[in-house]
Amino acid sequence: RILLREKDGEGAWREAQDKRLPRDLWLELAAARAKTHPADAIPIHLREAESLIAQTGNRSYEAAVMHLRKIKALHLQLDQSAGWAALLAGLRTTHKAKRNFIALVAGL
């Protein structure tokens, strides 16, 4: 947190590797890292989205879709629309029984 507050995103990223950090700190790191290394932020948002999907319920699904929107934007920023399409297809297959989630994902 100190390194992020001091605007040392690289240092914060290095220190965070292989550490168990609170999810809010990982999300803060993802936001900082997305500016210079968008690919590094994708797994953080995906982990958060998967965690929210597992909780079930419309609020959790809506929060998961918020992270998926960020992932989509990062993939497009990286010119990896095929990667985004594959990820989305995988989520649709894995969570096909969660109709409310699938309905929300349809808007992506």
Side-chain angles (χ1 to χ4, degrees):
R1 290 187 199 274
I2 293 169
L3 291 170
L4 284 173
R5 299 293 184 265
E6 293 176 349
K7 307 286 188 224
D8 183 3
E10 286 297 322
W13 184 255
R14 273 192 313 277
E15 287 298 318
Q17 300 309 298
D18 301 322
K19 297 217 173 40
R20 301 193 93 192
L21 301 175
R23 64 180 267 279
D24 65 314
L25 183 52
W26 275 115
L27 293 174
E28 195 175 337
L29 275 168
R33 193 70 175 169
K35 296 171 186 170
T36 57
H37 298 81
D40 291 343
I42 291 171
I44 297 169
H45 285 293
L46 183 57
R47 184 173 55 236
E48 184 67 13
E50 288 281 8
S51 174
L52 289 162
I53 295 165
Q55 292 176 25
T56 69
N58 290 338
R59 282 190 170 168
S60 294
Y61 295 157
E62 289 167 4
V65 168
M66 178 193 74
H67 288 283
L68 293 175
R69 283 191 182 100
K70 290 178 184 181
I71 293 169
K72 179 181 180 180
L74 292 166
H75 273 283
L76 295 178
Q77 181 180 343
L78 292 164
D79 199 27
Q80 295 178 350
S81 57
W84 164 247
L87 187 147
L88 190 57
L91 287 171
R92 285 183 172 138
T93 300
T94 302
H95 302 291
K96 64 184 172 192
K98 297 175 178 173
R99 293 175 305 186
N100 290 349
F101 172 70
I102 295 302
L104 289 171
V105 167
L108 295 174

